[in-house]
Amino acid sequence: SQAVLLELRCCPAELPLPLLGGMTITVVCDGIPAAKRAKSEKGRRVAIYGGAYDPITNAHLTCAAEILRSGLVDEVWLMPCAARPDKPQLKTPPLDRYVMCQLAVNAAFSPGFPVLVSDAECFEPEPVFTYDLLSGLRDRHPGTEFTFVIGSDWLQPGANISGWRSRNKAWRQGDPEDTRTVVVGDKLLQEFDILVVPRPGYDVARTPEDPTGLRIFGPRLRWLTLPSGMTLVEGNLSSTEVRRRLTRPVEAMASSRDMRSVEGLVPTAVLGHILRAGLYQP
């Protein structure tokens, strides 16, 4: 067993992570004392850009960069999710998805570009509800204003953020199962800003009374827009398409692990990890 010490682009933490071949990586982020860090966090605006990142793609990185260029936030935290009931196909281990995010941001961005990777959720043993995640981050970083990022695909007919749920902290073993969670969507909408990223093919109806089309969903939603003179770069590349190409190789490709079908869609460093870890095998 070997130990490697690396400084990665992540939120304040120190985390030992096991890697292939019995090696261990210890993530030491900024080394700033808690009191000094709390002072530096005062007034900081952070966008929480969550997802499965299975795998992270160049489209994710472009979106993170555009969020920063909007001027609406000071940092973007990529946050790989834990297990999710709505994604039963999510089989890639959390560590691999976290490592791929780290590889991606370090390969794509300069050291001072404030896109970080957070482990606040991905290593949790159970699904983490959005309100629980955001309120927990707020408690740990009282000087920081957190904004939650969603795509316009989350605002299609039938969507109801006010119905989102949270873990019932008062629930005890033996209580009815239907009381294990409680509805907190209204609290989420009242307490946190939500930044909506336009996604091709997922429009939101606008009216003269609601020219943004967002007021119907809640009071603190706003579109991702860029300063005058810049046009928002949009994309519809999905992790699903990348996995599909890797697990169903095109016949014209030389072999099942020829990566030409996804070259340019994910960072080269991520492709290397996919190969080394044997992810997304046909």
PDB file of all heavy atoms in Angstrom, residues 20-47:
ATOM      1  N   LEU A  20      -6.796   2.680  -7.231  1.00  0.00           N
ATOM      2  CA  LEU A  20      -6.428   1.388  -7.781  1.00  0.00           C
ATOM      3  C   LEU A  20      -5.050   0.976  -7.295  1.00  0.00           C
ATOM      4  O   LEU A  20      -4.185   1.796  -7.024  1.00  0.00           O
ATOM      5  CB  LEU A  20      -6.434   1.462  -9.313  1.00  0.00           C
ATOM      6  CG  LEU A  20      -7.785   1.747  -9.970  1.00  0.00           C
ATOM      7  CD1 LEU A  20      -7.579   1.947 -11.467  1.00  0.00           C
ATOM      8  CD2 LEU A  20      -8.753   0.619  -9.730  1.00  0.00           C
ATOM      9  N   GLY A  21      -4.818  -0.319  -7.188  1.00  0.00           N
ATOM     10  CA  GLY A  21      -3.503  -0.835  -6.837  1.00  0.00           C
ATOM     11  C   GLY A  21      -3.143  -0.664  -5.375  1.00  0.00           C
ATOM     12  O   GLY A  21      -1.974  -0.705  -5.007  1.00  0.00           O
ATOM     13  N   GLY A  22      -4.140  -0.467  -4.503  1.00  0.00           N
ATOM     14  CA  GLY A  22      -3.862  -0.355  -3.089  1.00  0.00           C
ATOM     15  C   GLY A  22      -3.325   0.983  -2.652  1.00  0.00           C
ATOM     16  O   GLY A  22      -2.905   1.160  -1.506  1.00  0.00           O
ATOM     17  N   MET A  23      -3.303   1.973  -3.554  1.00  0.00           N
ATOM     18  CA  MET A  23      -2.788   3.287  -3.201  1.00  0.00           C
ATOM     19  C   MET A  23      -3.878   4.093  -2.500  1.00  0.00           C
ATOM     20  O   MET A  23      -5.061   3.818  -2.647  1.00  0.00           O
ATOM     21  CB  MET A  23      -2.310   4.030  -4.449  1.00  0.00           C
ATOM     22  CG  MET A  23      -1.182   3.347  -5.186  1.00  0.00           C
ATOM     23  SD  MET A  23      -0.696   4.269  -6.669  1.00  0.00           S
ATOM     24  CE  MET A  23      -0.076   5.773  -5.941  1.00  0.00           C
ATOM     25  N   THR A  24      -3.458   5.047  -1.716  1.00  0.00           N
ATOM     26  CA  THR A  24      -4.386   5.941  -1.034  1.00  0.00           C
ATOM     27  C   THR A  24      -4.015   7.366  -1.369  1.00  0.00           C
ATOM     28  O   THR A  24      -2.850   7.739  -1.334  1.00  0.00           O
ATOM     29  CB  THR A  24      -4.343   5.742   0.494  1.00  0.00           C
ATOM     30  OG1 THR A  24      -4.710   4.413   0.795  1.00  0.00           O
ATOM     31  CG2 THR A  24      -5.307   6.717   1.184  1.00  0.00           C
ATOM     32  N   ILE A  25      -5.007   8.158  -1.707  1.00  0.00           N
ATOM     33  CA  ILE A  25      -4.785   9.570  -1.978  1.00  0.00           C
ATOM     34  C   ILE A  25      -5.424  10.373  -0.851  1.00  0.00           C
ATOM     35  O   ILE A  25      -6.555  10.106  -0.465  1.00  0.00           O
ATOM     36  CB  ILE A  25      -5.381   9.973  -3.348  1.00  0.00           C
ATOM     37  CG1 ILE A  25      -5.112  11.430  -3.640  1.00  0.00           C
ATOM     38  CG2 ILE A  25      -6.858   9.703  -3.423  1.00  0.00           C
ATOM     39  CD1 ILE A  25      -5.509  11.835  -5.049  1.00  0.00           C
ATOM     40  N   THR A  26      -4.689  11.286  -0.258  1.00  0.00           N
ATOM     41  CA  THR A  26      -5.238  12.158   0.763  1.00  0.00           C
ATOM     42  C   THR A  26      -5.446  13.531   0.157  1.00  0.00           C
ATOM     43  O   THR A  26      -4.514  14.172  -0.302  1.00  0.00           O
ATOM     44  CB  THR A  26      -4.300  12.269   1.980  1.00  0.00           C
ATOM     45  OG1 THR A  26      -4.119  10.971   2.534  1.00  0.00           O
ATOM     46  CG2 THR A  26      -4.903  13.189   3.032  1.00  0.00           C
ATOM     47  N   VAL A  27      -6.683  13.961   0.163  1.00  0.00           N
ATOM     48  CA  VAL A  27      -7.030  15.250  -0.413  1.00  0.00           C
ATOM     49  C   VAL A  27      -6.930  16.308   0.671  1.00  0.00           C
ATOM     50  O   VAL A  27      -7.666  16.271   1.650  1.00  0.00           O
ATOM     51  CB  VAL A  27      -8.468  15.216  -0.993  1.00  0.00           C
ATOM     52  CG1 VAL A  27      -8.832  16.583  -1.542  1.00  0.00           C
ATOM     53  CG2 VAL A  27      -8.580  14.146  -2.057  1.00  0.00           C
ATOM     54  N   VAL A  28      -5.998  17.221   0.532  1.00  0.00           N
ATOM     55  CA  VAL A  28      -5.868  18.361   1.432  1.00  0.00           C
ATOM     56  C   VAL A  28      -6.156  19.593   0.606  1.00  0.00           C
ATOM     57  O   VAL A  28      -5.429  19.882  -0.339  1.00  0.00           O
ATOM     58  CB  VAL A  28      -4.459  18.448   2.043  1.00  0.00           C
ATOM     59  CG1 VAL A  28      -4.374  19.649   2.970  1.00  0.00           C
ATOM     60  CG2 VAL A  28      -4.120  17.169   2.791  1.00  0.00           C
ATOM     61  N   CYS A  29      -7.209  20.308   0.960  1.00  0.00           N
ATOM     62  CA  CYS A  29      -7.660  21.350   0.046  1.00  0.00           C
ATOM     63  C   CYS A  29      -6.943  22.672   0.231  1.00  0.00           C
ATOM     64  O   CYS A  29      -6.028  22.965  -0.495  1.00  0.00           O
ATOM     65  CB  CYS A  29      -9.158  21.495   0.151  1.00  0.00           C
ATOM     66  SG  CYS A  29      -9.969  20.000  -0.425  1.00  0.00           S
ATOM     67  N   ASP A  30      -7.305  23.474   1.225  1.00  0.00           N
ATOM     68  CA  ASP A  30      -6.674  24.782   1.273  1.00  0.00           C
ATOM     69  C   ASP A  30      -5.820  24.996   2.510  1.00  0.00           C
ATOM     70  O   ASP A  30      -4.993  25.889   2.536  1.00  0.00           O
ATOM     71  CB  ASP A  30      -7.720  25.903   1.154  1.00  0.00           C
ATOM     72  CG  ASP A  30      -8.800  25.786   2.214  1.00  0.00           C
ATOM     73  OD1 ASP A  30      -8.569  25.110   3.217  1.00  0.00           O
ATOM     74  OD2 ASP A  30      -9.858  26.401   2.032  1.00  0.00           O
ATOM     75  N   GLY A  31      -6.003  24.180   3.531  1.00  0.00           N
ATOM     76  CA  GLY A  31      -5.187  24.322   4.717  1.00  0.00           C
ATOM     77  C   GLY A  31      -5.400  25.618   5.476  1.00  0.00           C
ATOM     78  O   GLY A  31      -4.612  25.972   6.346  1.00  0.00           O
ATOM     79  N   ILE A  32      -6.481  26.345   5.191  1.00  0.00           N
ATOM     80  CA  ILE A  32      -6.748  27.607   5.862  1.00  0.00           C
ATOM     81  C   ILE A  32      -7.440  27.339   7.196  1.00  0.00           C
ATOM     82  O   ILE A  32      -8.402  26.570   7.238  1.00  0.00           O
ATOM     83  CB  ILE A  32      -7.628  28.520   4.990  1.00  0.00           C
ATOM     84  CG1 ILE A  32      -6.930  28.807   3.666  1.00  0.00           C
ATOM     85  CG2 ILE A  32      -7.967  29.818   5.701  1.00  0.00           C
ATOM     86  CD1 ILE A  32      -7.796  29.581   2.689  1.00  0.00           C
ATOM     87  N   PRO A  33      -6.981  27.941   8.310  1.00  0.00           N
ATOM     88  CA  PRO A  33      -7.662  27.753   9.594  1.00  0.00           C
ATOM     89  C   PRO A  33      -9.131  28.124   9.493  1.00  0.00           C
ATOM     90  O   PRO A  33      -9.518  29.037   8.759  1.00  0.00           O
ATOM     91  CB  PRO A  33      -6.912  28.702  10.531  1.00  0.00           C
ATOM     92  CG  PRO A  33      -5.570  28.877   9.895  1.00  0.00           C
ATOM     93  CD  PRO A  33      -5.803  28.808   8.412  1.00  0.00           C
ATOM     94  N   ALA A  34      -9.968  27.413  10.258  1.00  0.00           N
ATOM     95  CA  ALA A  34     -11.418  27.582  10.140  1.00  0.00           C
ATOM     96  C   ALA A  34     -11.850  29.032  10.370  1.00  0.00           C
ATOM     97  O   ALA A  34     -12.708  29.555   9.660  1.00  0.00           O
ATOM     98  CB  ALA A  34     -12.129  26.658  11.124  1.00  0.00           C
ATOM     99  N   ALA A  35     -11.258  29.703  11.389  1.00  0.00           N
ATOM    100  CA  ALA A  35     -11.670  31.074  11.689  1.00  0.00           C
ATOM    101  C   ALA A  35     -11.356  32.014  10.531  1.00  0.00           C
ATOM    102  O   ALA A  35     -12.166  32.860  10.142  1.00  0.00           O
ATOM    103  CB  ALA A  35     -10.982  31.555  12.956  1.00  0.00           C
ATOM    104  N   LYS A  36     -10.154  31.863   9.954  1.00  0.00           N
ATOM    105  CA  LYS A  36      -9.770  32.711   8.828  1.00  0.00           C
ATOM    106  C   LYS A  36     -10.621  32.404   7.615  1.00  0.00           C
ATOM    107  O   LYS A  36     -11.022  33.299   6.875  1.00  0.00           O
ATOM    108  CB  LYS A  36      -8.290  32.500   8.505  1.00  0.00           C
ATOM    109  CG  LYS A  36      -7.776  33.399   7.387  1.00  0.00           C
ATOM    110  CD  LYS A  36      -6.287  33.199   7.170  1.00  0.00           C
ATOM    111  CE  LYS A  36      -5.776  34.094   6.050  1.00  0.00           C
ATOM    112  NZ  LYS A  36      -4.327  33.874   5.813  1.00  0.00           N
ATOM    113  N   ARG A  37     -10.935  31.102   7.403  1.00  0.00           N
ATOM    114  CA  ARG A  37     -11.745  30.734   6.259  1.00  0.00           C
ATOM    115  C   ARG A  37     -13.149  31.315   6.390  1.00  0.00           C
ATOM    116  O   ARG A  37     -13.743  31.776   5.417  1.00  0.00           O
ATOM    117  CB  ARG A  37     -11.813  29.212   6.138  1.00  0.00           C
ATOM    118  CG  ARG A  37     -12.546  28.760   4.883  1.00  0.00           C
ATOM    119  CD  ARG A  37     -12.262  27.291   4.592  1.00  0.00           C
ATOM    120  NE  ARG A  37     -12.648  26.447   5.692  1.00  0.00           N
ATOM    121  CZ  ARG A  37     -11.837  25.601   6.320  1.00  0.00           C
ATOM    122  NH1 ARG A  37     -10.576  25.518   5.983  1.00  0.00           N
ATOM    123  NH2 ARG A  37     -12.274  24.844   7.298  1.00  0.00           N
ATOM    124  N   ALA A  38     -13.717  31.294   7.609  1.00  0.00           N
ATOM    125  CA  ALA A  38     -15.054  31.826   7.811  1.00  0.00           C
ATOM    126  C   ALA A  38     -15.094  33.310   7.457  1.00  0.00           C
ATOM    127  O   ALA A  38     -16.053  33.795   6.860  1.00  0.00           O
ATOM    128  CB  ALA A  38     -15.490  31.618   9.263  1.00  0.00           C
ATOM    129  N   LYS A  39     -14.028  34.040   7.802  1.00  0.00           N
ATOM    130  CA  LYS A  39     -13.967  35.458   7.470  1.00  0.00           C
ATOM    131  C   LYS A  39     -13.903  35.654   5.967  1.00  0.00           C
ATOM    132  O   LYS A  39     -14.551  36.538   5.396  1.00  0.00           O
ATOM    133  CB  LYS A  39     -12.754  36.092   8.148  1.00  0.00           C
ATOM    134  CG  LYS A  39     -12.658  37.598   7.927  1.00  0.00           C
ATOM    135  CD  LYS A  39     -11.464  38.177   8.674  1.00  0.00           C
ATOM    136  CE  LYS A  39     -11.367  39.683   8.453  1.00  0.00           C
ATOM    137  NZ  LYS A  39     -10.204  40.260   9.173  1.00  0.00           N
ATOM    138  N   SER A  40     -13.102  34.819   5.283  1.00  0.00           N
ATOM    139  CA  SER A  40     -12.949  34.957   3.840  1.00  0.00           C
ATOM    140  C   SER A  40     -14.207  34.562   3.093  1.00  0.00           C
ATOM    141  O   SER A  40     -14.406  34.945   1.953  1.00  0.00           O
ATOM    142  CB  SER A  40     -11.768  34.110   3.347  1.00  0.00           C
ATOM    143  OG  SER A  40     -12.051  32.732   3.462  1.00  0.00           O
ATOM    144  N   GLU A  41     -15.097  33.778   3.738  1.00  0.00           N
ATOM    145  CA  GLU A  41     -16.321  33.327   3.097  1.00  0.00           C
ATOM    146  C   GLU A  41     -17.439  34.361   3.181  1.00  0.00           C
ATOM    147  O   GLU A  41     -18.455  34.225   2.499  1.00  0.00           O
ATOM    148  CB  GLU A  41     -16.797  32.019   3.732  1.00  0.00           C
ATOM    149  CG  GLU A  41     -15.909  30.817   3.437  1.00  0.00           C
ATOM    150  CD  GLU A  41     -16.377  29.565   4.147  1.00  0.00           C
ATOM    151  OE1 GLU A  41     -17.320  29.680   4.971  1.00  0.00           O
ATOM    152  OE2 GLU A  41     -15.812  28.500   3.896  1.00  0.00           O
ATOM    153  N   LYS A  42     -17.287  35.381   4.005  1.00  0.00           N
ATOM    154  CA  LYS A  42     -18.365  36.333   4.201  1.00  0.00           C
ATOM    155  C   LYS A  42     -18.724  37.009   2.889  1.00  0.00           C
ATOM    156  O   LYS A  42     -17.881  37.602   2.226  1.00  0.00           O
ATOM    157  CB  LYS A  42     -17.950  37.376   5.239  1.00  0.00           C
ATOM    158  CG  LYS A  42     -19.089  38.310   5.630  1.00  0.00           C
ATOM    159  CD  LYS A  42     -18.680  39.251   6.740  1.00  0.00           C
ATOM    160  CE  LYS A  42     -19.834  40.152   7.146  1.00  0.00           C
ATOM    161  NZ  LYS A  42     -19.459  41.076   8.237  1.00  0.00           N
ATOM    162  N   GLY A  43     -20.000  36.900   2.507  1.00  0.00           N
ATOM    163  CA  GLY A  43     -20.470  37.512   1.280  1.00  0.00           C
ATOM    164  C   GLY A  43     -20.170  36.730   0.022  1.00  0.00           C
ATOM    165  O   GLY A  43     -20.523  37.172  -1.073  1.00  0.00           O
ATOM    166  N   ARG A  44     -19.531  35.560   0.162  1.00  0.00           N
ATOM    167  CA  ARG A  44     -19.205  34.763  -1.024  1.00  0.00           C
ATOM    168  C   ARG A  44     -20.473  34.155  -1.601  1.00  0.00           C
ATOM    169  O   ARG A  44     -21.351  33.697  -0.878  1.00  0.00           O
ATOM    170  CB  ARG A  44     -18.210  33.652  -0.640  1.00  0.00           C
ATOM    171  CG  ARG A  44     -17.829  32.754  -1.794  1.00  0.00           C
ATOM    172  CD  ARG A  44     -16.844  31.684  -1.338  1.00  0.00           C
ATOM    173  NE  ARG A  44     -17.395  30.863  -0.263  1.00  0.00           N
ATOM    174  CZ  ARG A  44     -16.800  29.749   0.187  1.00  0.00           C
ATOM    175  NH1 ARG A  44     -15.654  29.379  -0.311  1.00  0.00           N
ATOM    176  NH2 ARG A  44     -17.361  29.056   1.154  1.00  0.00           N
ATOM    177  N   ARG A  45     -20.555  34.127  -2.924  1.00  0.00           N
ATOM    178  CA  ARG A  45     -21.713  33.551  -3.623  1.00  0.00           C
ATOM    179  C   ARG A  45     -21.265  32.286  -4.356  1.00  0.00           C
ATOM    180  O   ARG A  45     -20.363  32.344  -5.191  1.00  0.00           O
ATOM    181  CB  ARG A  45     -22.284  34.560  -4.611  1.00  0.00           C
ATOM    182  CG  ARG A  45     -22.712  35.891  -3.997  1.00  0.00           C
ATOM    183  CD  ARG A  45     -22.963  36.926  -5.066  1.00  0.00           C
ATOM    184  NE  ARG A  45     -21.771  37.140  -5.886  1.00  0.00           N
ATOM    185  CZ  ARG A  45     -21.774  37.774  -7.061  1.00  0.00           C
ATOM    186  NH1 ARG A  45     -22.910  38.235  -7.555  1.00  0.00           N
ATOM    187  NH2 ARG A  45     -20.658  37.930  -7.743  1.00  0.00           N
ATOM    188  N   VAL A  46     -21.910  31.175  -4.018  1.00  0.00           N
ATOM    189  CA  VAL A  46     -21.503  29.871  -4.564  1.00  0.00           C
ATOM    190  C   VAL A  46     -22.688  29.216  -5.260  1.00  0.00           C
ATOM    191  O   VAL A  46     -23.782  29.112  -4.682  1.00  0.00           O
ATOM    192  CB  VAL A  46     -20.972  28.940  -3.455  1.00  0.00           C
ATOM    193  CG1 VAL A  46     -20.719  27.542  -4.006  1.00  0.00           C
ATOM    194  CG2 VAL A  46     -19.690  29.514  -2.852  1.00  0.00           C
ATOM    195  N   ALA A  47     -22.471  28.756  -6.479  1.00  0.00           N
ATOM    196  CA  ALA A  47     -23.485  27.988  -7.208  1.00  0.00           C
ATOM    197  C   ALA A  47     -23.218  26.503  -6.994  1.00  0.00           C
ATOM    198  O   ALA A  47     -22.099  26.034  -7.204  1.00  0.00           O
ATOM    199  CB  ALA A  47     -23.447  28.324  -8.690  1.00  0.00           C
TER     200      ALA A  47
END
